Amino acid sequence: MTLKDSKHLNKEKQAALERLKGFVSGTDLQTFVLSGFAGTGKTTLVKFLAQYCREQKIPFTLLASTGRAAKVLSKKSGFNAITVHRLIYSIETSELDEASKTKKIKFKLNLNNNPEDMVYLIDESSMISDKPLSQPALTLFGTGSLLEDIFTYIDKRKIIFVGDNAQLPPVNAKMCPALDTKYLSDKFKIKTTSVNLKEVMRYSEDDCISKNAQDLVRIIHSENYNSRLSIRVTGFNYTKVYSLDMIMIEEYVKAFKKFGYDGCIFLTLSNKLASIINTQVRSLLYNNTPDALVPEEVLMVQQNNYMLDIANGEHIKILGITGNEKQRAGLTFVPVKFEIKSLIGSRTLEALLIKDYLFLQQSKLSNEAEFKLTLDFIMRMKKKGIDPKRNSEDFRDMLLSDPYINAIRARYGYAVTCHKAQGGEWQHVYIILERGLWHPGDISFKFKWLYTAITRSEKNLYFMENYAIN
């Protein structure tokens, strides 16, 4: 589609596009919030707006909150998109706390040398947090508040937040601050405007995804959380319910063999269940192999890797094992050759991968493991005459290029948590509703979780039998 095709948009979308054009072309407003639930055409408008900016020679930068979301935005818009973290932060220090036996890494906020008329657009803005984690973070980005750092970085430049405030909010939050115009205006003292899209474009009116998404949106927006969690599948096409989890997993494996990791995904609430399903999937895919990694293995990256330019949430495919396993600091490292897809094709890279990470049933390595790995690095640097205090620049450069410190942290990528899947879309989505959904402290959580899960699908939904599904 080109900008000329925007004339075929419906009235709601045309009006929204004109508002966006006016915003980037020169108003005294600094912030624009473009919201709307799944399928309302937000990304289509982003594509047309990017084309308009290019034609009008207005500098713009497309961003997303996760690596997966950036990849989806790049593919759909035709313009390169990167993560917010990659743009605004760079590593400053890495230090050990001997008392607590923890490693702490601090990322500084970059200077912004872009033109004053640069326009920033951030997709999947529902995931942008405005407060630090409740517990002290071992990795600190800027002030700890991503939203505050974004406004500090852009200064007086314009920014557009795009997202769906019915999706899961940031961790430890009950709302999506970047999509709340009143919150933005009150806290940051900026002039803000917004458009909320309501008419669905992606799905037909009788589509299972659209129908259930709209029902969930009504509950979420009305805050009527005493309603029973319910998904209607009877009478809809492209939907199936399984009575046995093993049959569901077997069907997923068949779909995976046909469509690959870009075409299907298994979603869970917990890392524990994702780990169990990944084990079962691998058993079927690779004939009960005892090997932890095999060629064609699919992994999902769990942590940004600045040395390799790989973002948290991106899928990689193992092409082969390139050498013998290596032991260091109590961890096992595997040299691998792998492929990662991008807008302009795919990249083939070689690096070390932390084997222990593959089997974790929690979200990250223990503090003790990270501490030992960093202590090992410091000792190796001291043997080379590089002291972190006296040779800070040399130490930082080595930190950014050390193959062990920067080894890939990834897990099997067949089944992932819904949180990790945010920003992604697949043709075939398999969902299990776990008991934990009914016992959160936040009674809105199960509705937002389910809404986020089903809207990861572009067409087909598959569920494990549950009393909430009818």
Side-chain angles (χ1 to χ4, degrees):
M1 291 188 295
T2 65
L3 191 56
K4 292 180 180 179
D5 295 314
S6 63
K7 64 183 179 182
H8 300 301
L9 294 171
N10 62 29
K11 290 183 179 179
E12 180 192 53
K13 307 301 181 291
Q14 286 184 358
L17 182 57
E18 290 306 311
R19 289 274 304 278
L20 286 164
K21 287 180 182 178
F23 173 77
V24 300
S25 296
T27 66
D28 61 348
L29 299 170
Q30 186 182 2
T31 305
F32 194 112
V33 175
L34 176 64
S35 61
F37 58 83
T40 51
K42 299 184 296 294
T43 306
T44 299
L45 290 181
V46 170
K47 179 174 183 175
F48 285 134
L49 181 65
Q51 291 173 349
Y52 174 79
C53 288
R54 182 174 60 185
E55 287 187 6
Q56 298 298 315
K57 294 182 171 50
I58 300 171
F60 67 96
T61 299
L62 295 187
L63 303 164
S65 50
T66 69
R68 179 80 195 185
K71 185 171 291 186
V72 171
L73 180 59
S74 296
K75 181 179 179 181
K76 289 192 170 187
S77 70
F79 294 86
N80 187 50
I82 61 174
T83 63
V84 177
H85 284 73
R86 190 172 296 176
L87 175 71
I88 72 173
Y89 296 119
S90 60
I91 192 168
E92 183 176 31
T93 60
S94 178
E95 58 187 41
L96 295 178
D97 187 329
E98 293 284 353
S100 62
K101 299 293 182 183
T102 56
K103 176 185 78 170
K104 296 184 178 181
I105 300 177
K106 185 175 182 180
F107 287 79
K108 65 180 179 181
L109 194 62
N110 294 327
L111 293 175
N112 190 341
N113 296 316
N114 287 317
E116 293 298 318
D117 59 345
M118 173 67 75
V119 177
Y120 298 94
L121 185 148
I122 305 179
D123 197 16
E124 296 295 340
S125 293
S126 63
M127 301 168 68
I128 296 175
S129 176
D130 190 34
K131 60 181 181 180
L133 297 176
S134 56
Q135 297 179 341
L138 299 181
T139 302
L140 177 64
F141 291 91
T143 64
S145 165
L146 178 56
L147 188 59
E148 182 174 328
D149 287 347
I150 287 171
F151 277 108
T152 300
Y153 177 80
I154 69 170
D155 195 22
K156 299 186 182 303
R157 298 170 182 85
K158 293 180 181 292
I159 189 166
I160 301 170
F161 293 109
V162 181
D164 180 350
N165 55 21
Q167 282 194 32
L168 287 169
V171 177
N172 296 327
K174 293 187 178 181
M175 49 84 79
C176 306
L179 299 178
D180 188 318
T181 54
K182 186 177 186 305
Y183 182 88
L184 293 173
S185 297
D186 290 348
K187 176 160 187 179
F188 298 102
K189 311 302 179 186
I190 53 174
K191 294 183 178 180
T192 305
T193 188
S194 65
V195 167
N196 181 42
L197 303 175
K198 297 179 180 179
E199 297 179 27
V200 176
M201 292 175 60
R202 187 193 307 167
Y203 312 110
S204 60
E205 291 185 3
D206 58 349
D207 183 276
C208 177
I209 302 170
S210 178
K211 199 71 175 175
N212 283 289
Q214 290 182 56
D215 289 345
L216 289 165
V217 164
R218 278 192 286 271
I219 292 171
I220 293 167
H221 284 177
S222 66
E223 299 185 353
N224 183 24
Y225 297 126
N226 291 322
S227 302
R228 175 175 173 266
L229 186 66
S230 177
I231 286 289
R232 292 182 290 165
V233 299
T234 304
F236 290 110
N237 295 322
Y238 311 113
T239 305
K240 188 172 182 178
V241 179
Y242 297 93
S243 57
L244 295 173
D245 54 1
M246 202 59 224
I247 294 177
M248 186 180 189
I249 292 170
E250 288 172 355
E251 291 296 309
Y252 168 81
V253 169
K254 291 178 183 177
F256 183 86
K257 288 179 177 178
K258 185 176 182 179
F259 302 107
Y261 64 86
D262 280 332
C264 54
I265 196 72
F266 217 121
L267 300 183
T268 68
L269 170 67
S270 67
N271 284 302
K272 183 177 180 179
L273 181 58
S275 179
I276 292 170
I277 293 172
N278 278 323
T279 299
Q280 294 172 329
V281 168
R282 293 189 73 249
S283 178
L284 293 171
L285 274 176
Y286 307 118
N287 299 315
N288 296 303
T289 177
D291 298 327
L293 287 172
V294 297
E296 303 298 310
E297 190 87 68
V298 172
L299 308 176
M300 179 174 273
V301 177
Q302 303 294 306
Q303 184 174 314
N304 292 333
N305 190 306
Y306 295 91
M307 183 181 83
L308 300 171
D309 194 22
I310 301 174
N312 182 2
E314 289 194 278
H315 272 106
I316 62 175
K317 182 170 72 173
I318 299 298
L319 301 179
I321 311 300
T322 59
N324 297 324
E325 293 183 356
K326 304 176 182 181
Q327 305 293 324
R328 184 168 289 281
L331 296 172
T332 301
F333 296 83
V334 184
V336 296
K337 184 177 183 179
F338 63 95
E339 176 187 79
I340 182 168
K341 294 181 180 179
S342 67
L343 178 63
I344 58 175
S346 61
R347 292 187 293 150
T348 300
L349 301 169
E350 293 189 22
L352 294 178
L353 180 143
I354 301 177
K355 182 179 179 180
D356 312 69
Y357 215 113
L358 296 171
F359 308 102
L360 291 181
Q361 292 192 356
Q362 63 269 17
S363 60
K364 58 185 178 180
L365 287 175
S366 67
N367 294 343
E368 181 182 5
E370 290 285 4
F371 176 84
K372 288 181 178 179
L373 182 58
T374 305
L375 181 60
D376 172 80
F377 170 73
I378 291 174
M379 297 305 293
R380 285 188 283 120
M381 292 304 102
K382 286 185 176 180
K383 287 182 180 179
K384 293 182 178 182
I386 300 175
D387 186 277
K389 295 181 179 179
R390 294 198 304 269
N391 312 100
S392 58
E393 285 299 317
D394 291 340
F395 183 84
R396 178 181 175 276
D397 290 343
M398 295 297 289
L399 183 70
L400 291 173
S401 60
D402 184 75
Y404 294 96
I405 288 290
N406 295 284
I408 300 167
R409 290 157 167 79
R411 298 169 62 178
Y412 298 116
Y414 313 102
V416 303
T417 64
C418 186
H419 277 93
K420 188 62 71 174
Q422 274 187 275
E425 295 175 359
W426 293 264
Q427 280 282 322
H428 303 265
V429 174
Y430 296 73
I431 301 171
I432 292 182
L433 305 181
E434 297 177 58
R435 289 183 179 180
L437 283 172
W438 278 267
H439 303 285
D442 178 6
I443 59 174
S444 69
F445 177 80
K446 58 180 176 287
F447 296 98
K448 293 180 180 180
W449 186 95
L450 186 54
Y451 172 82
T452 304
I454 67 172
T455 54
R456 296 314 89 212
S457 175
E458 296 175 321
K459 186 176 183 180
N460 300 275
L461 280 173
Y462 310 90
F463 294 96
M464 182 63 207
E465 193 174 66
N466 187 285
Y467 77 87
I469 299 169
N470 52 70

